[in-house]
Amino acid sequence: MTDNIKTLCPYCGVGCGLEVSPPAAPGKAANQDSLKTPIWKVKGDRAHPSSKGMVCVKGATITESIDCDRLHYPMVRESLNQPFRRASWDETLDLVASRLKSVYEKSGGDAVCMYGSGQMQTEDYYVAQKLLKGCLGTNNFDSNSRLCMSSAVAGYVQSLGSDGPPCCYDDLELTDCAFIIGANAAECHPIVFNRLQKHHKRNPHVKLIVVDPRCTPTAEVADLHLAIAPGTDIDLLNSIAYLLLRWGEIDKGFIDECTSRFSDFAAAVQHYSPQKVAKRCGISAADIELAARYWSKSKRVLSLWSQGVNQSSEGTAKVCSLINLHLLTGQIGKPGSGPFSLTGQPNAMGGREVGGLAHLLPGYRSVSNERHRHDLEQFWQLPPGQIKPYPGRTAWDIITGLETGEVQFLWVVATNPAVSLPDLERVKAALWRSPFTICQDAYYPTETTAYAHVLLPAAQWGEKTGIMTNSERVVTLCSAFRPPVGEAKADWDIMAQVAKRLGFGDKFAFTSSAQVYDEFVQLTRDRPCDMTGLSHEKLLTEGAIQWPCPDKGNISPKRLYTDLRFPTADGRAKFTSCHSRGLAEPPDPEYPFVLTTGRLYGHWHTQTRTGRIDKIKQMHPEPFIEIHPRDARKLGIADNEWVEVRSRRGVAQFPAKITKAIAPNTVFVPMHWGYLWAEKSEANALTHPISCPDSLQPELKACAVQIVSLVVKTADYSSVSLSQVHP
Ligand code: SF4
């Protein structure tokens, strides 16, 4: 392996370029520290167009986790009550293939499910789609992107005709007004936020509006923080539209030439005067007017959103409501403006391109579209009708399928559903019932490996070469810089070897990930995400490249829709009239608080990597619950005292952090802690699985809870913890 390998940070969807170099060889004067496993050096890649050398703490410490608690070789067991035993790859792959074959022959392809992740590289995703949706004839491939940004996908498709964020990061430095809704970018997308914040500081005319029930580090630096009540986003967005219409601050020419269904929309928002909406949202009418004023007075408005919008039982409607504002004001397809979804996972975008959700096919195609299925059947040389015309099981449907016994073979790749799915006790019970579960992961243990019959060791970031796409459609080759640990293999290679054992060898004769990628990009020809001009070799020699990047023609990829034509039947973007139904589980006298969940700056997802990095553990040593001082007073809770949080589904316990950062009647818990990292601290023990009807993304951001102090007040009012009373 050579010096200074260029790659991409494998954490969030910002997709910062990294340069990795080998650890220094221990010198003669080896001290205790130098005898530890040497750590690869990492720094930001100044040449990467998205990050220009910047990294956050996660990217800067990534190499510290690559040797910790790795899964080195395949392991198997007959039942979950037994210990694992080491097995050879041949024995394990034979077992996997024979089990899959017998389920397929007995119950059909739809009894087989794979649950993947935005950590997978594009090549891993592609081989999985070809195996499941193509050869096995089941669309039961879903990924944890379902929990993250499937509402953004559905919203883009409904409003603009296709998925694909139309903006680029340069717009962060070109905008006059950034409207951040449901995103704590300062902590969750730090380098995007750095770029925006620098622009905001340097240009006093630039306005920053943040919509969030919490006063997050993002909201702290905003010109206007709208701390709306959870679930009232659509009311707010419609009210801004109401004002823009009333003031005539709309782009009539754009509306007439480039959009449809405007009059329905204009009629629908007539019911959203700020005076009516303010009370529901829990903010003042004046603040709604100020937000509308900032929007209307800005030449270029960029909106940014993430899980706070997407993880909702009306996530798609929220996305469409936001896009409506851009259509109303013509703020799309030009520098510094547009609706910009920030993706969570490093390759969530790649997963979308390659069809990595249960209703999608590669190349931004859909399983429900006959022509799209036909394209794939021809390309994969499969018989007509092989690809099913209905969506496969989503993340939550996999769980209900385990409950009913319809799912008999579950293959989990690079994700940790035993922490990240909602209603965790139900999830764990379903996983326990699973007749056969594979966990294919780089790390062991994870909370999910406790439910596996087979563990397949995956090569991780840095040990395999593959492609990832970030939020601004920039495609980066992530080059391997060291061999896989133990017997670990690339995910695509493991799946291809199973496919060969199932008799599909001719379709999986790849000898490198570059070959897999070359095959995939052919499926993007003339699609919105055309990448036919890309290859591993080109990306290695030229660096990261943005799509669309066809092999013919001259396309400027920075922004989509610069010609103001949209990939809909009539070429027009579509207004969508949306009305809020509110939270799926609103608070009530028994469960009077709204629990909202989120992320912290240092940690990533379920801590599989970041929980193993000392610096990050010190930053965020334990979970907590944020409670407003007014609520804390009512509950008799002091700062740092332990409380029990109960929902209709489960309980969890946290020390209280009393802060005005959270609105009254709302509490906040970070989602990073599973049972391996802290006892009874799982945010998702409390959440519910009710989902958006369009995107099928669960409402992980809000559920009703009650809070009980775990401190027993004695007669003299001194505090004694429960653990002292009930050891
Ligand atoms: Fe990695 Fe995201 Fe941090 Fe960039 S902002 S270094 S991609 S975690």
Side-chain angles (χ1 to χ4, degrees):
M1 300 279 167
T2 53
D3 288 358
N4 286 341
I5 301 291
K6 294 207 174 199
T7 182
L8 193 77
C9 173
Y11 284 118
C12 85
V14 174
C16 298
L18 299 181
E19 270 187 65
V20 181
S21 52
K28 278 188 188 158
N31 59 24
Q32 203 54 34
D33 275 353
S34 65
L35 296 176
K36 289 183 187 168
T37 307
I39 305 287
W40 286 73
K41 291 184 236 162
V42 63
K43 63 178 184 181
D45 173 8
R46 286 176 183 275
H48 196 281
S50 299
S51 50
K52 305 177 183 196
M54 291 181 277
V55 285
C56 74
V57 68
K58 290 191 281 286
T61 54
I62 173 62
T63 51
E64 291 176 35
S65 70
I66 51 180
D67 281 310
C68 304
D69 300 326
R70 293 294 305 274
L71 179 58
H72 284 256
Y73 38 76
M75 297 207 280
V76 298
R77 59 181 170 181
E78 290 295 313
S79 78
L80 301 188
N81 295 316
Q82 292 178 349
F84 282 110
R85 69 173 171 83
R86 182 174 177 173
S88 70
W89 268 113
D90 269 343
E91 180 195 350
T92 311
L93 292 172
D94 286 348
L95 170 70
V96 168
S98 75
R99 189 70 183 232
L100 200 162
K101 198 158 176 264
S102 83
V103 168
Y104 181 84
E105 285 171 357
K106 194 167 136 234
S107 307
D110 283 347
V112 176
C113 291
M114 186 179 281
Y115 183 53
S117 152
Q119 292 284 326
M120 292 164 70
Q121 293 178 334
T122 297
E123 296 82 354
D124 306 323
Y125 265 117
Y126 178 71
V127 169
Q129 306 316 302
K130 191 173 182 182
L131 175 58
L132 272 89
K133 294 175 180 172
C135 298
L136 296 176
T138 176
N139 294 324
N140 286 346
F141 179 98
D142 213 39
S143 80
N144 59 7
S145 299
R146 178 72 60 187
L147 312 177
C148 176
M149 47 81 226
S150 52
S151 295
V153 176
Y156 277 137
V157 172
Q158 281 192 21
S159 295
L160 306 179
S162 171
D163 186 18
C167 317
C168 62
Y169 293 163
D170 286 356
D171 292 329
L172 299 164
E173 285 121 9
L174 293 169
T175 191
D176 301 313
C177 176
F179 184 88
I180 303 182
I181 178 166
N184 178 8
E187 292 197 81
C188 304
H189 298 94
I191 300 309
V192 156
F193 191 70
N194 275 5
R195 288 182 65 168
L196 180 62
Q197 199 182 6
K198 276 187 200 157
H199 173 64
H200 181 230
K201 273 189 187 156
R202 279 191 204 123
N203 298 282
H205 78 281
V206 172
K207 297 299 177 201
L208 176 58
I209 306 170
V210 174
V211 183
D212 197 310
R214 286 175 76 213
C215 186
T216 61
T218 313
E220 275 170 16
V221 297
D223 298 292
L224 177 62
H225 173 209
L226 301 174
I228 60 169
T232 60
D233 312 54
I234 292 174
D235 297 308
L236 171 70
L237 296 167
N238 281 352
S239 192
I240 293 174
Y242 168 96
L243 288 168
L244 296 173
L245 274 161
R246 211 174 112 216
W247 297 337
E249 298 278 8
I250 61 175
D251 188 336
K252 190 84 175 49
F254 177 84
I255 293 168
D256 289 346
E257 295 295 319
C258 310
T259 70
S260 61
R261 305 202 186 172
F262 169 68
S263 49
D264 291 349
F265 170 71
V269 299
Q270 283 317 306
H271 308 287
Y272 289 85
S273 72
Q275 289 69 27
K276 275 192 198 162
V277 166
K279 193 156 179 258
R280 277 205 296 276
C281 290
I283 56 175
S284 69
D287 276 353
I288 299 175
E289 284 202 24
L290 188 56
R293 198 59 79 187
Y294 284 162
W295 191 299
S296 70
K297 293 297 168 214
S298 302
K299 285 201 183 87
R300 299 156 173 204
V301 184
L302 183 69
S303 62
L304 301 139
W305 80 92
S306 188
Q307 265 79 316
V309 166
N310 295 334
Q311 288 182 336
S312 160
S313 57
E314 47 189 27
T316 306
K318 288 182 184 176
V319 172
C320 291
S321 300
L322 182 59
I323 295 176
N324 285 338
L325 291 177
H326 286 273
L327 303 183
L328 194 60
T329 50
Q331 295 283 2
I332 190 166
K334 60 184 189 184
S337 70
F340 200 171
S341 141
L342 296 173
T343 47
Q345 294 266 4
N347 198 33
M349 283 288 292
R352 283 145 79 161
E353 293 151 12
V354 85
L357 287 168
H359 61 294
L360 301 178
L361 290 170
Y364 276 2
R365 292 178 174 86
S366 163
V367 300
S368 57
N369 183 309
E370 190 179 354
R371 188 169 51 77
H372 291 176
R373 294 195 305 277
H374 179 69
D375 289 347
L376 266 293
E377 285 162 356
Q378 274 207 320
F379 187 81
W380 285 337
Q381 298 181 327
L382 295 167
Q386 171 73 8
I387 298 175
K388 296 289 181 296
Y390 50 85
R393 288 181 179 274
T394 65
W396 186 253
D397 294 338
I398 293 173
I399 297 304
T400 58
L402 290 171
E403 289 175 336
T404 59
E406 290 163 280
V407 172
Q408 294 165 28
F409 184 102
L410 173 59
W411 192 342
V412 180
V413 183
T415 187
N416 196 7
V419 182
S420 55
L421 285 179
D423 200 354
L424 264 190
E425 290 312 310
R426 192 170 156 191
V427 168
K428 289 178 192 171
L431 289 172
W432 189 258
R433 288 181 56 138
S434 173
F436 193 79
T437 297
I438 301 167
C439 263
Q440 183 168 310
D441 209 301
Y443 290 92
Y444 176 78
T446 71
E447 286 80 355
T448 305
T449 57
Y451 300 91
H453 300 86
V454 171
L455 302 178
L456 299 178
Q460 70 146 322
W461 172 86
E463 297 169 351
K464 59 178 185 178
T465 293
I467 297 290
M468 293 210 188
T469 307
N470 72 7
S471 290
E472 64 161 348
R473 295 173 279 106
V474 164
V475 181
T476 303
L477 179 73
C478 308
S479 296
F481 55 84
R482 58 178 234 160
V485 299
E487 297 176 9
K489 294 179 189 294
D491 292 295
W492 70 264
D493 190 18
I494 298 171
M495 296 172 203
Q497 293 200 35
V498 172
K500 284 174 192 161
R501 282 168 165 78
L502 293 170
F504 306 119
D506 57 323
K507 299 191 194 316
F508 294 88
F510 308 112
T511 56
S512 69
S513 58
Q515 286 180 2
V516 179
Y517 192 69
D518 287 345
E519 182 174 308
F520 160 61
V521 297
Q522 294 312 310
L523 280 166
T524 65
R525 184 173 300 285
D526 299 328
R527 301 294 303 154
C529 55
D530 196 324
M531 284 174 261
T532 47
L534 298 182
S535 65
H536 279 209
E537 199 186 341
K538 185 175 170 96
L539 290 160
L540 183 65
T541 49
E542 295 182 22
I545 296 174
Q546 201 165 23
W547 67 252
C549 182
D551 55 0
K552 295 186 206 81
N554 240 341
I555 285 189
S556 166
K558 277 241 166 270
R559 292 169 196 89
L560 305 181
Y561 317 131
T562 48
D563 59 356
L564 306 185
R565 299 294 294 164
F566 296 88
T568 53
D570 59 4
R572 290 164 176 262
K574 196 174 84 182
F575 280 100
T576 315
S577 304
C578 306
H579 301 285
S580 177
R581 299 180 305 276
L583 295 176
E585 188 184 63
D588 59 24
E590 198 183 350
Y591 294 92
F593 293 94
V594 177
L595 168 75
T596 184
T597 65
R599 287 145 186 80
L600 305 175
Y601 172 64
H603 274 310
W604 176 252
H605 272 221
T606 61
Q607 302 195 43
T608 309
R609 282 191 184 115
T610 54
R612 293 172 164 106
I613 296 173
D614 287 340
K615 185 173 180 184
I616 293 178
K617 280 194 292 189
Q618 282 158 18
M619 286 171 77
H620 308 297
E622 61 179 11
F624 56 85
I625 182 167
E626 284 184 0
I627 305 178
H628 190 272
R630 196 190 77 185
D631 295 328
R633 261 195 312 279
K634 270 199 244 163
L635 292 161
I637 294 165
D639 201 37
N640 233 12
E641 281 183 0
W642 281 78
V643 298
E644 182 161 284
V645 187
R646 300 171 183 162
S647 76
R648 290 182 174 84
R649 294 152 295 278
V651 298
Q653 297 176 350
F654 308 96
K657 186 171 170 185
I658 298 177
T659 169
K660 285 186 179 160
I662 191 78
N665 306 320
T666 304
V667 292
F668 167 83
V669 164
M671 55 74 69
H672 303 292
W673 276 266
Y675 73 79
L676 285 178
W677 305 103
E679 240 182 287
K680 284 194 184 168
S681 296
E682 296 154 318
N684 284 324
L686 305 160
T687 54
H688 64 71
I690 302 170
S691 300
C692 168
D694 297 310
S695 67
L696 305 177
Q697 179 159 355
E699 190 162 81
L700 287 159
K701 278 284 180 187
C703 68
V705 297
Q706 53 181 235
I707 296 169
V708 178
S709 170
L710 282 181
V711 174
V712 176
K713 308 285 183 190
T714 60
D716 65 357
Y717 301 104
S718 61
S719 294
V720 179
S721 78
L722 258 197
S723 59
Q724 287 170 271
V725 178
H726 305 292

